[in-house]
C-alpha cells in the first residue's frame, strides 16, 4: 500500500509540474515584449546598450550601464575617462519634429559589480511605437540620434 501511495504521490507531483510549466508557458506567450537593440549611444565605460521595447501597455528605452570590469577596461583604454555614472536624458522624436517625453523614469540601485547600477528605464505611452521616428539620447555632453520604426508593425 505504501509503495502505491508513494507512486501516486509522485505521479501527482509530476502532473502538477507539467501543468504548472504549461501555465507558465501560456502566460509567457501572452506577455509578448518586442525589442530592438539601438547601437548609436553605446559608449565604452558609460553605456553598454540601449534597448527599445514595446510591451503590452507601454514602451520603454532601457539604458544599460556597463559592469565594473567593462568600466575598468574602458578606463585603461582611455586614461581621461573618469569612473562616474554618466548623465543620461532621452526623448522620442515624431516625424513633425515634436517630442514625446518619457512618462516615467526608473533609476537603478548601485552595487559593487554595477557601480552605476544596472540600467535606467524610461517609459513612454504605447502610442509612441507608431508615432516615434527616432530616439534622441544624451550621454553627458554627447548627443545620439537613432532611427526607430514601429516594432508592432514588424510582427503583425
Amino acid at each position: 500500500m505504501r509503495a502505491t501511495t508513494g507512486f501516486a504521490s509522485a505521479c501527482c507531483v509530476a502532473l502538477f509540474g507539467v501543468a504548472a510549466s504549461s501555465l507558465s508557458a501560456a502566460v509567457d506567450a501572452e506577455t509578448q515584449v518586442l525589442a530592438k537593440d539601438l547601437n548609436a549611444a553605446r559608449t565604452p565605460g558609460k553605456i553598454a546598450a540601449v534597448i527599445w521595447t514595446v510591451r503590452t501597455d507601454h514602451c520603454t528605452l532601457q539604458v544599460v550601464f556597463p559592469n565594473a570590469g567593462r568600466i575598468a577596461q574602458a578606463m585603461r583604454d582611455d586614461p581621461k575617462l573618469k569612473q562616474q555614472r554618466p548623465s543620461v536624458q532621452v526623448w522620442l522624436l515624431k516625424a513633425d519634429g515634436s517630442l514625446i517625453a518619457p512618462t516615467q523614469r526608473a533609476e537603478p540601485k548601485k552595487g559593487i559589480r554595477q557601480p552605476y547600477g544596472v540600467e535606467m528605464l524610461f517609459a513612454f505611452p504605447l502610442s509612441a511605437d507608431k508615432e516615434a521616428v527616432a530616439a534622441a539620447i544624451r550621454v553627458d555632453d554627447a548627443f545620439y540620434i537613432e532611427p526607430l520604426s514601429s516594432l508592432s508593425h514588424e510582427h503583425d
Side-chain angles (χ1 to χ4, degrees):
M1 176 75 173
R2 206 174 216 173
T4 307
T5 304
F7 177 76
S9 296
C11 287
C12 288
V13 169
L15 287 173
F16 178 73
V18 169
S21 66
S22 296
L23 179 60
S24 173
V27 169
D28 291 344
E30 291 176 16
T31 312
Q32 184 178 21
V33 176
L34 304 173
K36 179 181 179 185
D37 193 9
L38 307 181
N39 295 312
R42 286 186 179 190
T43 311
K46 293 183 179 184
I47 304 296
V50 178
I51 305 164
W52 169 242
T53 68
V54 177
R55 299 166 187 276
T56 55
D57 60 347
H58 66 282
C59 299
T60 64
L61 268 176
Q62 294 170 253
V63 178
V64 182
F65 295 115
N67 63 26
R70 300 253 184 215
I71 294 168
Q73 179 62 47
M75 291 175 70
R76 284 191 295 273
D77 294 345
D78 181 1
K80 295 177 188 173
L81 185 67
K82 296 178 183 172
Q83 184 173 342
Q84 171 181 333
R85 187 168 99 182
S87 170
V88 177
Q89 293 178 298
V90 301
W91 307 268
L92 298 180
L93 307 174
K94 293 182 183 181
D96 66 4
S98 61
L99 299 176
I100 303 171
T103 56
Q104 287 184 311
R105 174 183 172 147
E107 298 272 341
K109 292 183 180 179
K110 299 175 184 178
I112 293 172
R113 291 185 178 184
Q114 296 293 144
Y116 303 161
V118 176
E119 69 180 3
M120 283 179 129
L121 185 70
F122 298 88
F124 295 90
L126 189 57
S127 60
D129 177 47
K130 293 178 178 63
E131 296 175 344
V133 296
I137 304 157
R138 181 180 181 185
V139 179
D140 292 332
D141 293 329
F143 287 86
Y144 305 93
I145 305 295
E146 181 85 31
L148 294 177
S149 58
S150 173
L151 293 180
S152 60
H153 285 156
E154 291 177 10
H155 292 77
D156 283 344

